Amino acid sequence: FDRDPDSAPNPGVYGLGMLLAGMCACFGVENGASRAELLAVFDDEKQHKILVRYYRKLGFEEVRFIEEKLTDFVDRVAWGGEGTIMKVELDKWTRKWAPIFRNPDSGLL
């Protein structure tokens, strides 16, 4: 590497979260998964909006909001809380973000 050993690499806009997401996406694709889902947790309104915006930038789309209602009880147990369920097609996602992972100057690796 030609980097100065005293300087930390720039993690870019997405940082470690993006690297972990890429690893999970590759693992999923290699094991036959075609879609990923996650929960943008609703701890407070401002943070929830930030999470949903971040995941949208990554390519996820909103499925629905899990609330504190009896009709959402099973989903709250399965997902562990209240928030927005979001999904992405892994094939599309990996094609979109592959250039970032392949570029050594992206700051991810």
Side-chain angles (χ1 to χ4, degrees):
F1 294 107
D2 292 17
R3 291 188 180 139
D4 178 5
D6 295 327
S7 70
N10 179 356
V13 176
Y14 301 106
L16 181 60
M18 180 60 127
L19 181 60
L20 292 172
M23 292 171 53
C24 290
C26 289
F27 180 82
V29 169
E30 288 174 355
N31 288 284
S34 61
R35 182 174 72 177
E37 295 181 341
L38 57 78
L39 179 70
V41 178
F42 186 90
D43 288 331
D44 68 68
E45 192 166 338
K46 182 180 178 184
Q47 184 62 32
H48 181 254
K49 286 181 180 180
I50 291 169
L51 278 175
V52 170
R53 185 177 64 227
Y54 175 76
Y55 291 129
R56 269 198 220 123
K57 281 184 178 182
L58 292 181
F60 283 80
E61 43 188 67
E62 297 174 50
V63 176
R64 66 187 179 83
F65 189 79
I66 298 174
E67 299 180 64
E68 287 190 30
K69 294 197 285 187
L70 188 57
T71 55
D72 289 339
F73 177 75
V74 174
D75 284 325
R76 289 194 68 213
V77 170
W79 286 99
E82 185 178 352
T84 303
I85 297 175
M86 303 185 78
K87 70 175 182 174
V88 69
E89 298 300 321
L90 289 175
D91 185 42
K92 180 179 173 183
W93 191 91
T94 53
R95 276 187 272 118
K96 175 181 178 178
W97 292 104
I100 298 290
F101 293 105
R102 290 185 180 131
N103 180 358
D105 295 325
S106 70
L108 290 176
L109 303 175

